[in-house]
């Protein structure tokens, strides 16, 4: 299951995160939003092992939305 093979780290994060994906998945976009729905980051193409800067985010909980070809996966991200 591709959902189980996704790793987001570090979590909790302070300055950046990375997302590890299986090689055979087609990630179309990444959105990070605050709990109240405000979009903080939108990425249309993600290179594996790229760092996503979260250093300007306030402390709290955020939602990461991963849009694949046939599926959307949500993950929780904590910023310290």
């Amino acid at each position: 299951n591709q959902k189980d093979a996704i790793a987001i780290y570090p979590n909790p994060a302070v300055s950046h995160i990375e997302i590890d994906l299986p090689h055979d998945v087609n990630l179309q976009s990444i959105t990070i939003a605050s709990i109240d729905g405000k979009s903080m980051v939108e990425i249309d193409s993600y290179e594996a092992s790229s760092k996503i800067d979260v250093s300007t985010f306030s402390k709290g909980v955020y939602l990461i939305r991963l849009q694949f070809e046939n599926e959307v996966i949500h993950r929780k991200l904590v910023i310290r």
Side-chain angles (χ1 to χ4, degrees):
N1 185 335
Q2 73 182 24
K3 192 183 292 192
D4 297 331
I6 297 168
I8 299 171
Y9 59 91
N11 192 0
V14 176
S15 61
H16 72 278
I17 59 168
E18 292 183 43
I19 301 173
D20 277 351
L21 301 165
H23 294 291
D24 59 344
V25 299
N26 180 14
L27 179 62
Q28 296 180 329
S29 68
I30 300 169
T31 305
I32 303 176
S34 60
I35 258 337
D36 63 4
K38 179 183 172 198
S39 180
M40 305 295 289
V41 173
E42 292 184 30
I43 299 169
D44 287 331
S45 62
Y46 180 74
E47 299 284 329
S49 299
S50 298
K51 290 181 180 353
I52 298 172
D53 184 7
V54 295
S55 62
T56 61
F57 290 21
S58 299
K59 292 179 183 180
V61 177
Y62 294 82
L63 296 176
I64 300 177
R65 180 182 188 272
L66 304 168
Q67 174 71 55
F68 296 94
E69 203 165 26
N70 301 315
E71 187 175 13
V72 175
I73 295 173
H74 293 91
R75 284 292 201 311
K76 188 168 70 170
L77 172 66
V78 177
I79 302 295
R80 281 200 243 200

